[in-house]
């Protein structure tokens, strides 16, 4: 098998990455291009839509391998199932027509074990992932499914999901998380190998309990919230045990340890935390969403300045949050964001429709595949759930800027997802 994989990798192939602009997809694209392959980064923003079938035939023409790392924009049961089933059927049918020789998909370690229920449970999402995997297995196309453990980058999402005021209530369930860079390398390696018609598991180098993982993250980022260990807290509303979230025997292991990743990504957070809005100052669900958005914006705005430079943090103020009863499963969130001079956002995407209206100053905005635009008071900007926000900053180094943003999003879903 090793010789065959090496032979496969030595030949230049056309490889299509579905979800090629996301956190994992963009990394896989870069890795495979560096290895000399012809890579298509397919996403709705590039004219390839697996839900409608638009652009699939053109993108897959002549492709030997398809890597599907796209994710549902909704974690609600029905929308997630519709996304994975519709997208999966369209994609696999197009692959058959194109003569694709290897279909590779990314899924989650423990997908078949995370099917319980509870308040706010994501079990419907994991059932949707199971449906996707079953479609792949029944397609007749040679395949490999990679099951990865939780990403380091999403630890703060775990914390947000379990936050109540200044307390985070978490189960001490065993985990084996990994950095997204190691996931991408594993996905690229599998894509270049022979199809296994089976599932492969990848995980981080170390096992750690969920409550301790989040404690270490809070300490490294200077977050004052307190973790309370609760054996009944579960995982996103699902009852779990020490086998639920860790791989079985002989997984492929990444090399990056959590503490190494923390030291690399959060060196200045403690210095700025006293100026950040405390998570407990906003009520319930809105506080969780706002804090997550604030963490991403503040950290990236400061990541490229010297430790001796005064932090340029964005200030967020919640105006309102409301369940949208005419749109089942949706909620609206309205914020005012104030950019100090020189402030900028990280690269990210929202699992939401975002509507921006500029109040003061001028801001620069751009989504991947679109043009960079400078907006002044009275002007507007829109980004959708699939857009990757690559530029967001104050246009001035000397004057502040202020804008309103209104999100239409899935209830309980994170409003910000970091990406590259």
């Amino acid at each position: 098998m090793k010789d065959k994989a090496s032979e496969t990798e030595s030949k230049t192939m056309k490889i299509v990455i579905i979800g090629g602009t996301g956190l994992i997809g963009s990394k896989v694209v870069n890795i495979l291009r560096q290895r000399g392959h012809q890579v298509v980064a397919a996403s709705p923003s590039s004219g390839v839509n697996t839900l409608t079938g638009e652009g699939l035939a053109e993108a897959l023409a002549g492709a030997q391998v398809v890597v599907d790392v796209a994710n549902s924009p909704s974690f609600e049961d029905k929308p997630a199932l519709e996304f994975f089933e519709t997208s999966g059927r369209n994609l696999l049918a197009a692959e058959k027509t194109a003569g694709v020789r290897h279909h590779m998909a990314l899924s989650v370690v423990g997908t078949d074990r995370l099917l319980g229920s509870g308040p706010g449970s994501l079990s419907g999402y994991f059932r949707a992932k199971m449906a996707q995997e079953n479609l792949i297995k029944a397609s007749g196309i040679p395949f490999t499914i990679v099951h990865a453990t939780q990403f380091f980058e999403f630890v703060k999402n775990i914390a947000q999901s379990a936050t109540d005021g200044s307390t985070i209530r978490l189960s001490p369930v065993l985990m084996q998380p990994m950095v997204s860079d190691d996931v991408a390398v594993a996905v690229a390696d599998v894509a270049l190998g022979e199809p296994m018609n089976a599932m492969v598991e990848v995980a981080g180098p170390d096992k750690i309990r969920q409550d301790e993982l989040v404690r270490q993250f809070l300490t490294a980022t200077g977050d004052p919230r307190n973790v309370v260990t609760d054996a009944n807290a579960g995982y996103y509303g699902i009852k779990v045990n020490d086998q639920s979230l860790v791989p079985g025997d002989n997984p492929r292991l990444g090399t990056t340890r959590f503490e190494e990743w923390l030291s690399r990504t959060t060196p200045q957070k403690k210095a700025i935390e006293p100026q950040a809005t405390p998570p407990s100052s906003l009520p319930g669900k809105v506080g969780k969403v706002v804090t997550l958005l604030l963490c991403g914006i503040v950290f990236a705005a400061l990541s490229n300045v010297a430790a001796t430079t005064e932090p340029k943090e964005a200030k967020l103020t919640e105006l309102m949050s409301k369940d949208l009863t005419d749109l089942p499963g949706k909620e609206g969130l309205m914020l005012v964001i104030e950019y100090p001079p020189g402030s900028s956002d990280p690269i990210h995407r929202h699992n939401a429709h975002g509507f921006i209206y500029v109040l003061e100053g001028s801001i620069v905005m751009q989504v991947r595949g679109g043009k960079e635009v400078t907006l002044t008071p009275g002007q507007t900007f829109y980004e959708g759930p699939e857009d990757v926000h690559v530029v967001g900053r104050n246009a001035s180094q000397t004057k502040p800027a202020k804008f309103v943003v209104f999100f239409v999003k899935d209830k309980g879903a994170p409003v910000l997802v970091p990406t590259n």
Side-chain angles (χ1 to χ4, degrees), residues 86 115 138 179 186 189 203 224 244 250 277 285 298 315 325 330 380:
T86 303
L115 305 179
V179 71
D189 287 347
S244 300
N250 302 315
T277 303
K285 176 169 52 184
V298 172
K315 178 183 177 183
T325 54
K330 300 290 184 181
T380 58

Side-chain angles (χ1 to χ4, degrees), residues 15 34 42 50 80 95 97 107 132 162 179 188 190 192 197 243 266 348 365 375:
I15 304 173
Q34 289 169 7
T50 55
E95 288 180 31
T97 301
S107 192
Q132 177 195 30
V179 71
V190 170
L192 296 178
N197 294 318
Q243 288 73 49
T266 59
H348 62 273
M365 296 282 165
L375 307 171

Side-chain angles (χ1 to χ4, degrees), residues 385-407:
E386 295 298 321
D387 286 327
V388 176
H389 194 140
V390 293
V391 177
R393 61 180 173 85
N394 190 337
S396 173
Q397 295 293 323
T398 59
K399 298 179 180 179
K402 182 189 295 186
F403 59 94
V404 172
V405 58
F406 176 71
F407 292 111

Side-chain angles (χ1 to χ4, degrees), residues 15-42:
I15 304 173
V16 179
I17 313 298
I18 304 297
T21 58
L23 174 65
I24 301 299
S26 58
K27 295 177 186 291
V28 175
V29 167
N30 291 335
I31 292 168
L32 293 175
R33 283 177 178 165
Q34 289 169 7
R35 296 185 187 181
H37 296 281
Q38 178 189 352
V39 184
V40 177

Side-chain angles (χ1 to χ4, degrees), residues 92-156:
L92 292 165
E95 288 180 31
K96 279 190 175 181
T97 301
V100 170
R101 300 200 298 264
H102 187 185
H103 177 96
M104 205 233 85
L106 180 63
S107 192
V108 184
V109 163
T111 291
D112 58 340
R113 301 188 291 272
L114 298 172
L115 305 179
S117 61
S121 172
L122 287 185
S123 58
Y125 172 81
F126 293 110
R127 280 192 288 271
K129 290 297 290 182
M130 282 292 294
Q132 177 195 30
E133 294 184 21
N134 290 335
L135 285 172
I136 293 168
K137 294 172 184 176
S139 69
I141 299 171
F143 70 91
T144 309
I145 298 172
V146 173
H147 277 194
T149 54
Q150 294 73 23
F151 304 164
F152 293 165
E153 288 86 348
F154 295 157
V155 172
K156 64 182 177 182

Side-chain angles (χ1 to χ4, degrees), residues 265-334:
T265 58
T266 59
Q268 299 177 47
K269 187 66 177 180
K270 286 186 180 180
I272 68 169
E273 187 65 35
Q275 299 184 42
T277 303
S280 59
S281 67
L282 294 176
K285 176 169 52 184
V286 175
K288 299 176 186 178
V289 173
V290 174
T291 303
L292 176 60
L293 184 61
L294 180 59
C295 287
I297 291 176
V298 172
F299 174 73
L302 300 176
S303 61
N304 292 322
V305 297
T308 56
T309 303
E310 184 69 20
K312 298 177 179 179
E313 69 180 55
K315 178 183 177 183
L316 280 75
T317 304
E318 177 243 331
L319 297 180
M320 68 176 298
S321 173
K322 184 175 177 61
D323 288 349
L324 303 178
T325 54
D326 292 337
L327 299 172
K330 300 290 184 181
E331 62 185 356
L333 174 67
M334 184 179 289

